[in-house]
Amino acid sequence: MISYLIRYSWAFVSLILLQVLILNNLHLSIYINPYVYILFILALPFQTRGWLVLSLAFLLGIIMDAFCNTPGIHSSATVFMAFLRRYFLDLFAPREGYESGMSPHYRDMGMIWFLIYAGVLTIIHHFFLFLLEDFRLAYLLSNFLKAIVSSLFSLILMIILLLVSYRPRR
């Protein structure tokens, strides 16, 4: 239990620092805004209680809002994604269900499963975030394109982070 708490606390802090110090300062294009801090919510174990997932998503989002000076935008998008997480986990569940101790990680569920799961929730998060940033009907298509491109870039970075941080189980 303590090892999980230390591991997830480390992931929480390191993803926030990576996002705030490096990724928020990258200016690749107006269509590429990578947000990999949501990997923390995506990678929480299957048996994590719903109230805890929503609370952690709110805390993560509010910290990002404080650093990005975006009052409530990141927290609402992250909580919305965390709310939908349970439904997508149920939708993508194998017939026999999830085994105890497993997490939505490529090593437990496979790369294709993870790409679909993380890709759908990342697109939802990004679209909701960009919609809140610039809510005009004239920019709806532009926001959707921005969400798709940013989600693809974010997903690539998340996969790289997962591959780099992989440790075999003991």
Side-chain angles (χ1 to χ4, degrees):
M1 181 68 176
I2 296 295
S3 66
Y4 279 118
L5 185 62
I6 292 170
R7 182 183 328 152
Y8 284 104
S9 298
W10 170 251
F12 187 85
V13 171
S14 60
L15 283 171
I16 288 174
L17 290 175
L18 174 70
Q19 184 68 49
V20 169
L21 297 176
I22 297 171
L23 296 177
N24 283 356
N25 295 319
L26 283 178
H27 300 289
L28 301 171
S29 166
I30 61 168
Y31 289 104
I32 299 177
N33 296 321
Y35 293 111
V36 297
Y37 70 92
I38 61 173
L39 180 61
F40 178 78
I41 300 299
L42 294 173
L44 287 173
F46 293 121
Q47 66 269 16
T48 307
R49 302 269 184 218
W51 65 268
L52 183 59
V53 173
L54 291 174
S55 300
L56 289 171
F58 180 72
L59 180 65
L60 184 64
I62 218 68
I63 290 171
M64 287 305 302
D65 283 330
F67 280 113
C68 299
N69 198 21
T70 55
I73 292 175
H74 285 277
S75 58
S76 60
T78 308
V79 167
F80 182 63
M81 183 200 67
F83 175 75
L84 294 177
R85 176 184 184 262
R86 171 55 39 205
Y87 296 108
F88 282 101
L89 285 176
D90 291 342
L91 181 68
F92 298 138
R95 281 191 186 143
E96 58 276 354
Y98 299 112
E99 294 178 19
S100 180
M102 291 178 71
S103 64
H105 195 279
Y106 75 90
R107 71 173 177 254
D108 289 338
M109 302 304 297
M111 188 61 82
I112 300 297
W113 184 94
F114 180 79
L115 287 174
I116 293 170
Y117 159 74
V120 169
L121 286 175
T122 302
I123 288 171
I124 289 171
H125 171 269
H126 284 41
F127 183 67
F128 194 79
L129 181 83
F130 297 141
L131 199 62
L132 289 176
E133 272 184 351
D134 195 11
F135 186 67
R136 292 186 211 161
L137 197 55
Y139 295 142
L140 189 64
L141 187 60
S142 174
N143 283 338
F144 186 70
L145 179 64
K146 189 175 179 182
I148 296 292
V149 173
S150 293
S151 295
L152 287 173
F153 195 72
S154 297
L155 202 56
I156 290 168
L157 290 176
M158 285 185 224
I159 295 296
I160 291 170
L161 285 173
L162 288 174
L163 290 172
V164 167
S165 67
Y166 174 73
R167 290 188 188 137
R169 291 190 178 178
R170 295 179 186 184

